[in-house]
Amino acid sequence: MRKLQLSILLLAPVVVLSAYACDQGTPAEPELNAAEHQQGDFLTANTQDNSPFLGSWRATAAVVGDVELNVGTSVLYIMTFRSDGTHSVSVSNDIEHLVCPGPQTGCAWDGLYSYTGTTITTLEPNHPDPGEAGEDTFLYANCSGKLIFMDHTDEEEGIRLTFQRTGLGR
């Protein structure tokens, strides 16, 4: 199980300032209903309709360290969050195998999610890359219809994924 490391916590002020600058009216701490799902040590909560994640999101940019990956221009990466605390991911046209293990250029998986006012935690036991399967926590900012996830690699390089909302969901 990967844990949120100190280096990522240093990004928290950036997330808070980004959220403040956006001033989208999203509550500082979204409300959660009582827990409904339990899988191992991962506990998800049934999110209410004010969840900043509900719906489908298309990745428009991905940066690892100083390198911008070819996501959003050729690779189609769609993430859908539902109100029952589940999510799914669909990736297509991944000819560089940025996400999907070779030789396949498309892959899909599902999982659970929970969130706080600054972090989102996903549990993806059936991720096609065994090194990515399991629980992961990201900092996030929701700004002007964009969702930005921030994390780091095992080599301590920063990761920033930017998503654009493509549809609302339940």
Side-chain angles (χ1 to χ4, degrees), residues 110-133:
D110 54 15
L112 305 172
Y113 77 97
S114 64
Y115 64 93
T116 69
T118 57
T119 63
I120 180 169
T121 300
T122 59
L123 177 64
E124 300 174 331
N126 63 349
H127 192 290
D129 179 349
E132 294 295 321

Side-chain angles (χ1 to χ4, degrees), residues 8 11 63-66 151-153 156-160:
I8 200 72
L11 289 174
V63 178
V64 177
D66 294 331
D151 198 6
H152 60 85
T153 66
E156 297 297 321
E157 290 184 295
I159 298 172
R160 186 182 72 238

